[in-house]
Amino acid sequence: MKKLIPTLVLFVIASQLYGQIERDKALHFLGGNLFGLAGAGIAKQATDGNRVWTFVGAVAGSTLIGLAKETVDASQRENGWDNDDLAATILGGITVGVVIEVFSKKRNKRLRGSFTTEHIEDDFLVNVKDEILLIEGDGLPSLTSFGFSSTYLKNTLSH
Protein backbone atom coordinates (compact mmCIF):
# COMPACT_ATOMS: atom_id res chain seq x y z
CA MET A 1 0.00 0.00 0.00
CA LYS A 2 2.96 2.31 0.65
CA LYS A 3 4.04 1.97 -2.98
CA LEU A 4 0.58 1.83 -4.53
CA ILE A 5 -0.61 5.34 -3.67
CA PRO A 6 2.54 7.17 -4.86
CA THR A 7 2.48 5.09 -8.05
CA LEU A 8 -1.15 6.00 -8.73
CA VAL A 9 -0.45 9.68 -8.07
CA LEU A 10 2.50 9.52 -10.47
CA PHE A 11 0.34 7.98 -13.21
CA VAL A 12 -2.38 10.61 -12.73
CA ILE A 13 0.17 13.42 -12.98
CA ALA A 14 1.87 11.81 -15.97
CA SER A 15 -1.43 11.38 -17.80
CA GLN A 16 -2.16 15.08 -17.35
CA LEU A 17 1.32 16.11 -18.47
CA TYR A 18 1.13 14.02 -21.65
CA GLY A 19 -1.47 16.41 -23.02
CA GLN A 20 1.06 19.25 -22.75
CA ILE A 21 3.59 17.54 -25.04
CA GLU A 22 3.14 17.84 -28.78
CA ARG A 23 2.87 14.60 -30.71
CA ASP A 24 5.84 15.66 -32.84
CA LYS A 25 8.08 16.02 -29.78
CA ALA A 26 7.04 12.58 -28.52
CA LEU A 27 7.96 11.09 -31.91
CA HIS A 28 11.33 12.85 -31.83
CA PHE A 29 11.90 11.45 -28.33
CA LEU A 30 11.03 7.94 -29.57
CA GLY A 31 13.36 8.35 -32.55
CA GLY A 32 16.10 9.49 -30.18
CA ASN A 33 15.46 6.37 -28.09
CA LEU A 34 15.79 4.05 -31.07
CA PHE A 35 18.89 5.64 -32.58
CA GLY A 36 20.40 6.09 -29.12
CA LEU A 37 19.96 2.38 -28.56
CA ALA A 38 21.63 1.63 -31.89
CA GLY A 39 24.50 4.00 -31.07
CA ALA A 40 24.93 2.45 -27.63
CA GLY A 41 25.01 -1.03 -29.14
CA ILE A 42 27.65 -0.04 -31.69
CA ALA A 43 29.75 1.72 -29.06
CA LYS A 44 29.46 -1.20 -26.66
CA GLN A 45 30.67 -3.63 -29.33
CA ALA A 46 33.49 -1.33 -30.44
CA THR A 47 34.83 -0.73 -26.93
CA ASP A 48 34.24 -4.19 -25.44
CA GLY A 49 31.53 -2.99 -23.07
CA ASN A 50 33.07 0.25 -21.77
CA ARG A 51 30.19 1.94 -19.93
CA VAL A 52 31.32 5.51 -20.59
CA TRP A 53 31.60 4.99 -24.34
CA THR A 54 28.28 3.15 -24.37
CA PHE A 55 26.61 6.25 -22.89
CA VAL A 56 28.48 8.51 -25.33
CA GLY A 57 27.36 6.26 -28.19
CA ALA A 58 23.73 6.57 -27.12
CA VAL A 59 23.91 10.36 -27.00
CA ALA A 60 25.93 10.55 -30.23
CA GLY A 61 23.48 8.29 -32.10
CA SER A 62 20.50 10.39 -31.11
CA THR A 63 22.36 13.64 -31.79
CA LEU A 64 23.38 12.56 -35.28
CA ILE A 65 19.87 11.52 -36.27
CA GLY A 66 18.42 14.67 -34.70
CA LEU A 67 20.80 16.90 -36.65
CA ALA A 68 20.07 14.99 -39.85
CA LYS A 69 16.31 15.29 -39.36
CA GLU A 70 16.45 18.99 -38.58
CA THR A 71 18.71 19.59 -41.59
CA VAL A 72 16.11 17.93 -43.82
CA ASP A 73 13.35 19.94 -42.13
CA ALA A 74 15.26 23.20 -42.65
CA SER A 75 15.43 22.58 -46.40
CA GLN A 76 11.64 22.27 -46.70
CA ARG A 77 9.44 25.31 -47.26
CA GLU A 78 6.59 24.38 -44.92
CA ASN A 79 8.95 23.14 -42.25
CA GLY A 80 12.00 24.61 -40.58
CA TRP A 81 14.75 24.04 -38.07
CA ASP A 82 13.31 23.47 -34.60
CA ASN A 83 15.64 23.40 -31.61
CA ASP A 84 12.91 21.87 -29.44
CA ASP A 85 12.66 18.89 -31.80
CA LEU A 86 16.43 18.47 -31.67
CA ALA A 87 16.39 18.67 -27.87
CA ALA A 88 13.63 16.04 -27.67
CA THR A 89 15.63 13.71 -29.92
CA ILE A 90 18.82 14.14 -27.89
CA LEU A 91 16.87 13.70 -24.65
CA GLY A 92 15.67 10.34 -26.01
CA GLY A 93 19.29 9.25 -26.44
CA ILE A 94 20.26 10.49 -22.99
CA THR A 95 17.35 8.55 -21.51
CA VAL A 96 18.49 5.34 -23.22
CA GLY A 97 22.06 5.93 -22.01
CA VAL A 98 20.92 6.39 -18.41
CA VAL A 99 18.67 3.32 -18.53
CA ILE A 100 21.50 1.18 -19.91
CA GLU A 101 23.82 2.49 -17.20
CA VAL A 102 21.32 1.77 -14.42
CA PHE A 103 20.56 -1.76 -15.57
CA SER A 104 24.10 -2.71 -16.58
CA LYS A 105 25.28 -2.41 -12.96
CA LYS A 106 22.99 -5.29 -11.99
CA ARG A 107 24.33 -7.56 -14.73
CA ASN A 108 27.59 -8.29 -12.90
CA LYS A 109 26.06 -11.34 -11.23
CA ARG A 110 26.43 -14.60 -13.11
CA LEU A 111 23.16 -15.56 -14.72
CA ARG A 112 21.86 -19.09 -14.43
CA GLY A 113 21.95 -20.88 -17.76
CA SER A 114 24.26 -18.38 -19.42
CA PHE A 115 25.88 -19.22 -22.72
CA THR A 116 29.46 -18.86 -21.53
CA THR A 117 31.93 -21.69 -21.85
CA GLU A 118 33.42 -21.29 -18.38
CA HIS A 119 31.67 -24.33 -16.94
CA ILE A 120 32.38 -26.70 -19.85
CA GLU A 121 36.04 -25.86 -20.47
CA ASP A 122 37.04 -28.52 -17.94
CA ASP A 123 35.21 -31.23 -19.90
CA PHE A 124 36.75 -30.53 -23.31
CA LEU A 125 40.31 -30.42 -24.59
CA VAL A 126 41.09 -28.99 -27.97
CA ASN A 127 44.09 -30.31 -29.86
CA VAL A 128 45.10 -27.11 -31.64
CA LYS A 129 47.54 -28.84 -33.95
CA ASP A 130 45.00 -31.28 -35.39
CA GLU A 131 41.88 -29.26 -34.45
CA ILE A 132 40.27 -32.40 -33.03
CA LEU A 133 37.81 -32.12 -30.15
CA LEU A 134 38.57 -34.60 -27.38
CA ILE A 135 36.16 -35.34 -24.55
CA GLU A 136 37.47 -36.23 -21.14
CA GLY A 137 35.54 -38.57 -18.92
CA ASP A 138 33.17 -41.43 -19.59
CA GLY A 139 30.33 -39.70 -21.37
CA LEU A 140 29.13 -36.61 -23.09
CA PRO A 141 28.19 -33.55 -21.04
CA SER A 142 24.52 -32.90 -20.43
CA LEU A 143 22.63 -30.44 -22.58
CA THR A 144 22.22 -28.12 -19.61
CA SER A 145 25.93 -27.38 -19.80
CA PHE A 146 25.29 -25.94 -23.26
CA GLY A 147 22.91 -23.33 -21.84
CA PHE A 148 19.59 -25.13 -22.31
CA SER A 149 17.27 -24.89 -19.33
CA SER A 150 15.81 -28.06 -17.91
CA THR A 151 12.26 -26.77 -18.57
CA TYR A 152 13.10 -26.20 -22.24
CA LEU A 153 14.61 -29.66 -22.54
CA LYS A 154 11.58 -31.32 -20.90
CA ASN A 155 9.20 -29.52 -23.27
CA THR A 156 11.33 -30.21 -26.34
CA LEU A 157 12.09 -33.84 -25.66
CA SER A 158 8.53 -34.73 -24.63
CA HIS A 159 7.06 -33.72 -28.03
Side-chain angles (χ1 to χ4, degrees):
M1 194 64 154
K2 290 180 182 179
K3 294 182 182 181
L4 180 64
I5 292 175
T7 304
L8 290 175
V9 169
L10 179 68
F11 281 131
V12 168
I13 291 172
S15 68
Q16 296 299 320
L17 290 177
Y18 179 72
Q20 305 299 320
I21 300 173
E22 297 175 30
R23 186 174 190 274
D24 184 48
K25 305 297 185 269
L27 291 174
H28 276 272
F29 182 79
L30 179 64
N33 282 169
L34 296 175
F35 282 92
L37 187 61
I42 291 169
K44 187 173 184 176
Q45 289 293 325
T47 62
D48 295 327
N50 187 327
R51 291 173 17 196
V52 172
W53 284 108
T54 301
F55 181 80
V56 170
V59 175
S62 65
T63 302
L64 287 174
I65 197 63
L67 288 172
K69 174 71 169 93
E70 292 309 312
T71 302
V72 169
D73 285 351
S75 67
Q76 297 174 347
R77 284 188 181 172
E78 65 276 352
N79 224 345
W81 185 279
D82 189 2
N83 286 332
D84 292 338
D85 287 349
L86 180 61
T89 307
I90 294 172
L91 185 61
I94 291 171
T95 304
V96 166
V98 169
V99 168
I100 290 172
E101 176 65 25
V102 167
F103 286 106
S104 68
K105 289 180 182 178
K106 295 182 180 182
R107 294 271 174 152
N108 292 337
K109 297 178 183 176
R110 183 176 166 164
L111 297 176
R112 197 173 45 152
S114 68
F115 293 102
T116 62
T117 59
E118 294 172 3
H119 57 282
I120 57 174
E121 286 178 357
D122 298 333
D123 296 335
F124 292 98
L125 290 177
V126 177
N127 186 343
V128 179
K129 182 178 176 184
D130 296 331
E131 297 181 6
I132 298 173
L133 183 66
L134 303 174
I135 302 173
E136 287 184 359
D138 295 336
L140 294 173
S142 68
L143 290 176
T144 56
S145 63
F146 292 115
F148 294 110
S149 69
S150 58
T151 307
Y152 172 77
L153 291 173
K154 286 178 186 175
N155 291 339
T156 305
L157 297 176
S158 65
H159 293 287

mmCIF file with all atom_site columns, all heavy atoms in Angstrom, residues 13-34:
data_model
loop_
_atom_site.group_PDB
_atom_site.id
_atom_site.type_symbol
_atom_site.label_atom_id
_atom_site.label_alt_id
_atom_site.label_comp_id
_atom_site.label_asym_id
_atom_site.label_entity_id
_atom_site.label_seq_id
_atom_site.pdbx_PDB_ins_code
_atom_site.Cartn_x
_atom_site.Cartn_y
_atom_site.Cartn_z
_atom_site.occupancy
_atom_site.B_iso_or_equiv
_atom_site.pdbx_formal_charge
_atom_site.auth_seq_id
_atom_site.auth_comp_id
_atom_site.auth_asym_id
_atom_site.auth_atom_id
_atom_site.pdbx_PDB_model_num
ATOM 1   N N   . ILE A 1 13 ? -0.573 12.224 -12.575 1.00 0.00 ? 13 ILE A N   1
ATOM 2   C CA  . ILE A 1 13 ? 0.170  13.421 -12.981 1.00 0.00 ? 13 ILE A CA  1
ATOM 3   C C   . ILE A 1 13 ? 0.742  13.236 -14.385 1.00 0.00 ? 13 ILE A C   1
ATOM 4   O O   . ILE A 1 13 ? 0.679  14.144 -15.212 1.00 0.00 ? 13 ILE A O   1
ATOM 5   C CB  . ILE A 1 13 ? 1.283  13.732 -11.957 1.00 0.00 ? 13 ILE A CB  1
ATOM 6   C CG1 . ILE A 1 13 ? 0.654  14.183 -10.639 1.00 0.00 ? 13 ILE A CG1 1
ATOM 7   C CG2 . ILE A 1 13 ? 2.228  14.801 -12.490 1.00 0.00 ? 13 ILE A CG2 1
ATOM 8   C CD1 . ILE A 1 13 ? 1.654  14.332 -9.507  1.00 0.00 ? 13 ILE A CD1 1
ATOM 9   N N   . ALA A 1 14 ? 1.288  12.062 -14.654 1.00 0.00 ? 14 ALA A N   1
ATOM 10  C CA  . ALA A 1 14 ? 1.873  11.809 -15.973 1.00 0.00 ? 14 ALA A CA  1
ATOM 11  C C   . ALA A 1 14 ? 0.824  11.847 -17.070 1.00 0.00 ? 14 ALA A C   1
ATOM 12  O O   . ALA A 1 14 ? 1.080  12.329 -18.172 1.00 0.00 ? 14 ALA A O   1
ATOM 13  C CB  . ALA A 1 14 ? 2.596  10.467 -15.973 1.00 0.00 ? 14 ALA A CB  1
ATOM 14  N N   . SER A 1 15 ? -0.377 11.354 -16.785 1.00 0.00 ? 15 SER A N   1
ATOM 15  C CA  . SER A 1 15 ? -1.430 11.380 -17.805 1.00 0.00 ? 15 SER A CA  1
ATOM 16  C C   . SER A 1 15 ? -1.861 12.810 -18.109 1.00 0.00 ? 15 SER A C   1
ATOM 17  O O   . SER A 1 15 ? -2.209 13.134 -19.243 1.00 0.00 ? 15 SER A O   1
ATOM 18  C CB  . SER A 1 15 ? -2.626 10.543 -17.367 1.00 0.00 ? 15 SER A CB  1
ATOM 19  O OG  . SER A 1 15 ? -3.265 11.146 -16.261 1.00 0.00 ? 15 SER A OG  1
ATOM 20  N N   . GLN A 1 16 ? -1.823 13.680 -17.118 1.00 0.00 ? 16 GLN A N   1
ATOM 21  C CA  . GLN A 1 16 ? -2.164 15.078 -17.350 1.00 0.00 ? 16 GLN A CA  1
ATOM 22  C C   . GLN A 1 16 ? -1.051 15.809 -18.091 1.00 0.00 ? 16 GLN A C   1
ATOM 23  O O   . GLN A 1 16 ? -1.306 16.708 -18.884 1.00 0.00 ? 16 GLN A O   1
ATOM 24  C CB  . GLN A 1 16 ? -2.461 15.777 -16.019 1.00 0.00 ? 16 GLN A CB  1
ATOM 25  C CG  . GLN A 1 16 ? -3.674 15.237 -15.300 1.00 0.00 ? 16 GLN A CG  1
ATOM 26  C CD  . GLN A 1 16 ? -4.946 15.387 -16.114 1.00 0.00 ? 16 GLN A CD  1
ATOM 27  O OE1 . GLN A 1 16 ? -5.164 16.396 -16.758 1.00 0.00 ? 16 GLN A OE1 1
ATOM 28  N NE2 . GLN A 1 16 ? -5.764 14.350 -16.115 1.00 0.00 ? 16 GLN A NE2 1
ATOM 29  N N   . LEU A 1 17 ? 0.192  15.447 -17.823 1.00 0.00 ? 17 LEU A N   1
ATOM 30  C CA  . LEU A 1 17 ? 1.321  16.109 -18.474 1.00 0.00 ? 17 LEU A CA  1
ATOM 31  C C   . LEU A 1 17 ? 1.462  15.687 -19.923 1.00 0.00 ? 17 LEU A C   1
ATOM 32  O O   . LEU A 1 17 ? 2.006  16.434 -20.737 1.00 0.00 ? 17 LEU A O   1
ATOM 33  C CB  . LEU A 1 17 ? 2.621  15.811 -17.723 1.00 0.00 ? 17 LEU A CB  1
ATOM 34  C CG  . LEU A 1 17 ? 2.759  16.461 -16.361 1.00 0.00 ? 17 LEU A CG  1
ATOM 35  C CD1 . LEU A 1 17 ? 4.060  16.022 -15.701 1.00 0.00 ? 17 LEU A CD1 1
ATOM 36  C CD2 . LEU A 1 17 ? 2.717  17.975 -16.476 1.00 0.00 ? 17 LEU A CD2 1
ATOM 37  N N   . TYR A 1 18 ? 1.001  14.491 -20.279 1.00 0.00 ? 18 TYR A N   1
ATOM 38  C CA  . TYR A 1 18 ? 1.134  14.022 -21.645 1.00 0.00 ? 18 TYR A CA  1
ATOM 39  C C   . TYR A 1 18 ? 0.389  14.937 -22.614 1.00 0.00 ? 18 TYR A C   1
ATOM 40  O O   . TYR A 1 18 ? 0.823  15.142 -23.740 1.00 0.00 ? 18 TYR A O   1
ATOM 41  C CB  . TYR A 1 18 ? 0.628  12.582 -21.777 1.00 0.00 ? 18 TYR A CB  1
ATOM 42  C CG  . TYR A 1 18 ? 0.717  12.056 -23.182 1.00 0.00 ? 18 TYR A CG  1
ATOM 43  C CD1 . TYR A 1 18 ? 1.947  11.748 -23.744 1.00 0.00 ? 18 TYR A CD1 1
ATOM 44  C CD2 . TYR A 1 18 ? -0.426 11.908 -23.957 1.00 0.00 ? 18 TYR A CD2 1
ATOM 45  C CE1 . TYR A 1 18 ? 2.046  11.286 -25.035 1.00 0.00 ? 18 TYR A CE1 1
ATOM 46  C CE2 . TYR A 1 18 ? -0.337 11.444 -25.256 1.00 0.00 ? 18 TYR A CE2 1
ATOM 47  C CZ  . TYR A 1 18 ? 0.893  11.134 -25.791 1.00 0.00 ? 18 TYR A CZ  1
ATOM 48  O OH  . TYR A 1 18 ? 0.989  10.684 -27.073 1.00 0.00 ? 18 TYR A OH  1
ATOM 49  N N   . GLY A 1 19 ? -0.703 15.501 -22.179 1.00 0.00 ? 19 GLY A N   1
ATOM 50  C CA  . GLY A 1 19 ? -1.465 16.413 -23.021 1.00 0.00 ? 19 GLY A CA  1
ATOM 51  C C   . GLY A 1 19 ? -0.710 17.690 -23.321 1.00 0.00 ? 19 GLY A C   1
ATOM 52  O O   . GLY A 1 19 ? -1.018 18.397 -24.277 1.00 0.00 ? 19 GLY A O   1
ATOM 53  N N   . GLN A 1 20 ? 0.283  18.035 -22.540 1.00 0.00 ? 20 GLN A N   1
ATOM 54  C CA  . GLN A 1 20 ? 1.064  19.248 -22.745 1.00 0.00 ? 20 GLN A CA  1
ATOM 55  C C   . GLN A 1 20 ? 2.172  19.064 -23.784 1.00 0.00 ? 20 GLN A C   1
ATOM 56  O O   . GLN A 1 20 ? 2.748  20.032 -24.247 1.00 0.00 ? 20 GLN A O   1
ATOM 57  C CB  . GLN A 1 20 ? 1.686  19.699 -21.419 1.00 0.00 ? 20 GLN A CB  1
ATOM 58  C CG  . GLN A 1 20 ? 0.696  19.904 -20.299 1.00 0.00 ? 20 GLN A CG  1
ATOM 59  C CD  . GLN A 1 20 ? -0.329 20.978 -20.626 1.00 0.00 ? 20 GLN A CD  1
ATOM 60  O OE1 . GLN A 1 20 ? 0.007  21.994 -21.203 1.00 0.00 ? 20 GLN A OE1 1
ATOM 61  N NE2 . GLN A 1 20 ? -1.576 20.731 -20.275 1.00 0.00 ? 20 GLN A NE2 1
ATOM 62  N N   . ILE A 1 21 ? 2.499  17.822 -24.107 1.00 0.00 ? 21 ILE A N   1
ATOM 63  C CA  . ILE A 1 21 ? 3.590  17.540 -25.040 1.00 0.00 ? 21 ILE A CA  1
ATOM 64  C C   . ILE A 1 21 ? 3.007  17.346 -26.432 1.00 0.00 ? 21 ILE A C   1
ATOM 65  O O   . ILE A 1 21 ? 2.050  16.594 -26.618 1.00 0.00 ? 21 ILE A O   1
ATOM 66  C CB  . ILE A 1 21 ? 4.356  16.265 -24.607 1.00 0.00 ? 21 ILE A CB  1
ATOM 67  C CG1 . ILE A 1 21 ? 4.939  16.462 -23.220 1.00 0.00 ? 21 ILE A CG1 1
ATOM 68  C CG2 . ILE A 1 21 ? 5.438  15.927 -25.610 1.00 0.00 ? 21 ILE A CG2 1
ATOM 69  C CD1 . ILE A 1 21 ? 5.551  15.201 -22.654 1.00 0.00 ? 21 ILE A CD1 1
ATOM 70  N N   . GLU A 1 22 ? 3.595  18.017 -27.409 1.00 0.00 ? 22 GLU A N   1
ATOM 71  C CA  . GLU A 1 22 ? 3.138  17.844 -28.781 1.00 0.00 ? 22 GLU A CA  1
ATOM 72  C C   . GLU A 1 22 ? 3.471  16.442 -29.263 1.00 0.00 ? 22 GLU A C   1
ATOM 73  O O   . GLU A 1 22 ? 4.451  15.843 -28.845 1.00 0.00 ? 22 GLU A O   1
ATOM 74  C CB  . GLU A 1 22 ? 3.830  18.858 -29.688 1.00 0.00 ? 22 GLU A CB  1
ATOM 75  C CG  . GLU A 1 22 ? 3.517  20.297 -29.372 1.00 0.00 ? 22 GLU A CG  1
ATOM 76  C CD  . GLU A 1 22 ? 4.331  21.233 -30.247 1.00 0.00 ? 22 GLU A CD  1
ATOM 77  O OE1 . GLU A 1 22 ? 4.668  20.857 -31.384 1.00 0.00 ? 22 GLU A OE1 1
ATOM 78  O OE2 . GLU A 1 22 ? 4.638  22.320 -29.767 1.00 0.00 ? 22 GLU A OE2 1
ATOM 79  N N   . ARG A 1 23 ? 2.646  15.933 -30.158 1.00 0.00 ? 23 ARG A N   1
ATOM 80  C CA  . ARG A 1 23 ? 2.873  14.597 -30.706 1.00 0.00 ? 23 ARG A CA  1
ATOM 81  C C   . ARG A 1 23 ? 4.213  14.537 -31.435 1.00 0.00 ? 23 ARG A C   1
ATOM 82  O O   . ARG A 1 23 ? 4.921  13.535 -31.385 1.00 0.00 ? 23 ARG A O   1
ATOM 83  C CB  . ARG A 1 23 ? 1.731  14.237 -31.649 1.00 0.00 ? 23 ARG A CB  1
ATOM 84  C CG  . ARG A 1 23 ? 1.816  12.817 -32.156 1.00 0.00 ? 23 ARG A CG  1
ATOM 85  C CD  . ARG A 1 23 ? 0.569  12.471 -32.971 1.00 0.00 ? 23 ARG A CD  1
ATOM 86  N NE  . ARG A 1 23 ? 0.511  11.071 -33.267 1.00 0.00 ? 23 ARG A NE  1
ATOM 87  C CZ  . ARG A 1 23 ? 1.105  10.497 -34.317 1.00 0.00 ? 23 ARG A CZ  1
ATOM 88  N NH1 . ARG A 1 23 ? 1.803  11.248 -35.141 1.00 0.00 ? 23 ARG A NH1 1
ATOM 89  N NH2 . ARG A 1 23 ? 1.004  9.214  -34.535 1.00 0.00 ? 23 ARG A NH2 1
ATOM 90  N N   . ASP A 1 24 ? 4.579  15.608 -32.099 1.00 0.00 ? 24 ASP A N   1
ATOM 91  C CA  . ASP A 1 24 ? 5.835  15.663 -32.838 1.00 0.00 ? 24 ASP A CA  1
ATOM 92  C C   . ASP A 1 24 ? 7.039  15.508 -31.903 1.00 0.00 ? 24 ASP A C   1
ATOM 93  O O   . ASP A 1 24 ? 7.992  14.798 -32.221 1.00 0.00 ? 24 ASP A O   1
ATOM 94  C CB  . ASP A 1 24 ? 5.928  16.989 -33.591 1.00 0.00 ? 24 ASP A CB  1
ATOM 95  C CG  . ASP A 1 24 ? 7.174  17.070 -34.450 1.00 0.00 ? 24 ASP A CG  1
ATOM 96  O OD1 . ASP A 1 24 ? 7.434  16.098 -35.188 1.00 0.00 ? 24 ASP A OD1 1
ATOM 97  O OD2 . ASP A 1 24 ? 7.876  18.092 -34.387 1.00 0.00 ? 24 ASP A OD2 1
ATOM 98  N N   . LYS A 1 25 ? 6.965  16.132 -30.746 1.00 0.00 ? 25 LYS A N   1
ATOM 99  C CA  . LYS A 1 25 ? 8.080  16.021 -29.784 1.00 0.00 ? 25 LYS A CA  1
ATOM 100 C C   . LYS A 1 25 ? 8.184  14.606 -29.218 1.00 0.00 ? 25 LYS A C   1
ATOM 101 O O   . LYS A 1 25 ? 9.271  14.088 -29.012 1.00 0.00 ? 25 LYS A O   1
ATOM 102 C CB  . LYS A 1 25 ? 7.902  17.008 -28.618 1.00 0.00 ? 25 LYS A CB  1
ATOM 103 C CG  . LYS A 1 25 ? 7.736  18.457 -29.013 1.00 0.00 ? 25 LYS A CG  1
ATOM 104 C CD  . LYS A 1 25 ? 8.940  19.005 -29.709 1.00 0.00 ? 25 LYS A CD  1
ATOM 105 C CE  . LYS A 1 25 ? 8.789  20.489 -29.973 1.00 0.00 ? 25 LYS A CE  1
ATOM 106 N NZ  . LYS A 1 25 ? 8.201  20.815 -31.259 1.00 0.00 ? 25 LYS A NZ  1
ATOM 107 N N   . ALA A 1 26 ? 7.027  13.974 -29.008 1.00 0.00 ? 26 ALA A N   1
ATOM 108 C CA  . ALA A 1 26 ? 7.036  12.585 -28.523 1.00 0.00 ? 26 ALA A CA  1
ATOM 109 C C   . ALA A 1 26 ? 7.637  11.654 -29.572 1.00 0.00 ? 26 ALA A C   1
ATOM 110 O O   . ALA A 1 26 ? 8.385  10.731 -29.235 1.00 0.00 ? 26 ALA A O   1
ATOM 111 C CB  . ALA A 1 26 ? 5.621  12.142 -28.167 1.00 0.00 ? 26 ALA A CB  1
ATOM 112 N N   . LEU A 1 27 ? 7.371  11.909 -30.847 1.00 0.00 ? 27 LEU A N   1
ATOM 113 C CA  . LEU A 1 27 ? 7.957  11.093 -31.909 1.00 0.00 ? 27 LEU A CA  1
ATOM 114 C C   . LEU A 1 27 ? 9.463  11.328 -32.017 1.00 0.00 ? 27 LEU A C   1
ATOM 115 O O   . LEU A 1 27 ? 10.225 10.393 -32.272 1.00 0.00 ? 27 LEU A O   1
ATOM 116 C CB  . LEU A 1 27 ? 7.260  11.378 -33.241 1.00 0.00 ? 27 LEU A CB  1
ATOM 117 C CG  . LEU A 1 27 ? 5.819  10.892 -33.347 1.00 0.00 ? 27 LEU A CG  1
ATOM 118 C CD1 . LEU A 1 27 ? 5.192  11.351 -34.659 1.00 0.00 ? 27 LEU A CD1 1
ATOM 119 C CD2 . LEU A 1 27 ? 5.747  9.382  -33.207 1.00 0.00 ? 27 LEU A CD2 1
ATOM 120 N N   . HIS A 1 28 ? 9.888  12.568 -31.828 1.00 0.00 ? 28 HIS A N   1
ATOM 121 C CA  . HIS A 1 28 ? 11.326 12.851 -31.825 1.00 0.00 ? 28 HIS A CA  1
ATOM 122 C C   . HIS A 1 28 ? 12.007 12.147 -30.644 1.00 0.00 ? 28 HIS A C   1
ATOM 123 O O   . HIS A 1 28 ? 13.118 11.622 -30.782 1.00 0.00 ? 28 HIS A O   1
ATOM 124 C CB  . HIS A 1 28 ? 11.583 14.365 -31.758 1.00 0.00 ? 28 HIS A CB  1
ATOM 125 C CG  . HIS A 1 28 ? 11.522 15.024 -33.092 1.00 0.00 ? 28 HIS A CG  1
ATOM 126 N ND1 . HIS A 1 28 ? 12.605 15.128 -33.926 1.00 0.00 ? 28 HIS A ND1 1
ATOM 127 C CD2 . HIS A 1 28 ? 10.494 15.613 -33.751 1.00 0.00 ? 28 HIS A CD2 1
ATOM 128 C CE1 . HIS A 1 28 ? 12.264 15.748 -35.029 1.00 0.00 ? 28 HIS A CE1 1
ATOM 129 N NE2 . HIS A 1 28 ? 10.974 16.059 -34.950 1.00 0.00 ? 28 HIS A NE2 1
ATOM 130 N N   . PHE A 1 29 ? 11.360 12.149 -29.501 1.00 0.00 ? 29 PHE A N   1
ATOM 131 C CA  . PHE A 1 29 ? 11.900 11.449 -28.334 1.00 0.00 ? 29 PHE A CA  1
ATOM 132 C C   . PHE A 1 29 ? 12.026 9.950  -28.608 1.00 0.00 ? 29 PHE A C   1
ATOM 133 O O   . PHE A 1 29 ? 13.043 9.332  -28.297 1.00 0.00 ? 29 PHE A O   1
ATOM 134 C CB  . PHE A 1 29 ? 10.993 11.695 -27.114 1.00 0.00 ? 29 PHE A CB  1
ATOM 135 C CG  . PHE A 1 29 ? 11.486 11.069 -25.852 1.00 0.00 ? 29 PHE A CG  1
ATOM 136 C CD1 . PHE A 1 29 ? 12.491 11.664 -25.109 1.00 0.00 ? 29 PHE A CD1 1
ATOM 137 C CD2 . PHE A 1 29 ? 10.938 9.882  -25.389 1.00 0.00 ? 29 PHE A CD2 1
ATOM 138 C CE1 . PHE A 1 29 ? 12.942 11.083 -23.936 1.00 0.00 ? 29 PHE A CE1 1
ATOM 139 C CE2 . PHE A 1 29 ? 11.385 9.300  -24.230 1.00 0.00 ? 29 PHE A CE2 1
ATOM 140 C CZ  . PHE A 1 29 ? 12.387 9.900  -23.487 1.00 0.00 ? 29 PHE A CZ  1
ATOM 141 N N   . LEU A 1 30 ? 10.999 9.367  -29.219 1.00 0.00 ? 30 LEU A N   1
ATOM 142 C CA  . LEU A 1 30 ? 11.031 7.942  -29.568 1.00 0.00 ? 30 LEU A CA  1
ATOM 143 C C   . LEU A 1 30 ? 12.136 7.657  -30.582 1.00 0.00 ? 30 LEU A C   1
ATOM 144 O O   . LEU A 1 30 ? 12.858 6.661  -30.459 1.00 0.00 ? 30 LEU A O   1
ATOM 145 C CB  . LEU A 1 30 ? 9.675  7.499  -30.115 1.00 0.00 ? 30 LEU A CB  1
ATOM 146 C CG  . LEU A 1 30 ? 9.572  6.042  -30.540 1.00 0.00 ? 30 LEU A CG  1
ATOM 147 C CD1 . LEU A 1 30 ? 9.771  5.124  -29.337 1.00 0.00 ? 30 LEU A CD1 1
ATOM 148 C CD2 . LEU A 1 30 ? 8.241  5.785  -31.200 1.00 0.00 ? 30 LEU A CD2 1
ATOM 149 N N   . GLY A 1 31 ? 12.281 8.521  -31.580 1.00 0.00 ? 31 GLY A N   1
ATOM 150 C CA  . GLY A 1 31 ? 13.363 8.353  -32.553 1.00 0.00 ? 31 GLY A CA  1
ATOM 151 C C   . GLY A 1 31 ? 14.726 8.453  -31.886 1.00 0.00 ? 31 GLY A C   1
ATOM 152 O O   . GLY A 1 31 ? 15.654 7.709  -32.213 1.00 0.00 ? 31 GLY A O   1
ATOM 153 N N   . GLY A 1 32 ? 14.856 9.371  -30.936 1.00 0.00 ? 32 GLY A N   1
ATOM 154 C CA  . GLY A 1 32 ? 16.105 9.488  -30.177 1.00 0.00 ? 32 GLY A CA  1
ATOM 155 C C   . GLY A 1 32 ? 16.377 8.240  -29.362 1.00 0.00 ? 32 GLY A C   1
ATOM 156 O O   . GLY A 1 32 ? 17.533 7.812  -29.222 1.00 0.00 ? 32 GLY A O   1
ATOM 157 N N   . ASN A 1 33 ? 15.310 7.638  -28.820 1.00 0.00 ? 33 ASN A N   1
ATOM 158 C CA  . ASN A 1 33 ? 15.460 6.372  -28.093 1.00 0.00 ? 33 ASN A CA  1
ATOM 159 C C   . ASN A 1 33 ? 16.008 5.281  -29.003 1.00 0.00 ? 33 ASN A C   1
ATOM 160 O O   . ASN A 1 33 ? 16.956 4.576  -28.646 1.00 0.00 ? 33 ASN A O   1
ATOM 161 C CB  . ASN A 1 33 ? 14.130 5.906  -27.531 1.00 0.00 ? 33 ASN A CB  1
ATOM 162 C CG  . ASN A 1 33 ? 13.694 6.607  -26.275 1.00 0.00 ? 33 ASN A CG  1
ATOM 163 O OD1 . ASN A 1 33 ? 12.563 6.454  -25.861 1.00 0.00 ? 33 ASN A OD1 1
ATOM 164 N ND2 . ASN A 1 33 ? 14.549 7.383  -25.657 1.00 0.00 ? 33 ASN A ND2 1
ATOM 165 N N   . LEU A 1 34 ? 15.406 5.133  -30.162 1.00 0.00 ? 34 LEU A N   1
ATOM 166 C CA  . LEU A 1 34 ? 15.789 4.049  -31.070 1.00 0.00 ? 34 LEU A CA  1
ATOM 167 C C   . LEU A 1 34 ? 17.212 4.222  -31.590 1.00 0.00 ? 34 LEU A C   1
ATOM 168 O O   . LEU A 1 34 ? 18.010 3.276  -31.572 1.00 0.00 ? 34 LEU A O   1
ATOM 169 C CB  . LEU A 1 34 ? 14.800 3.966  -32.226 1.00 0.00 ? 34 LEU A CB  1
ATOM 170 C CG  . LEU A 1 34 ? 13.370 3.599  -31.853 1.00 0.00 ? 34 LEU A CG  1
ATOM 171 C CD1 . LEU A 1 34 ? 12.464 3.667  -33.065 1.00 0.00 ? 34 LEU A CD1 1
ATOM 172 C CD2 . LEU A 1 34 ? 13.321 2.224  -31.220 1.00 0.00 ? 34 LEU A CD2 1
#
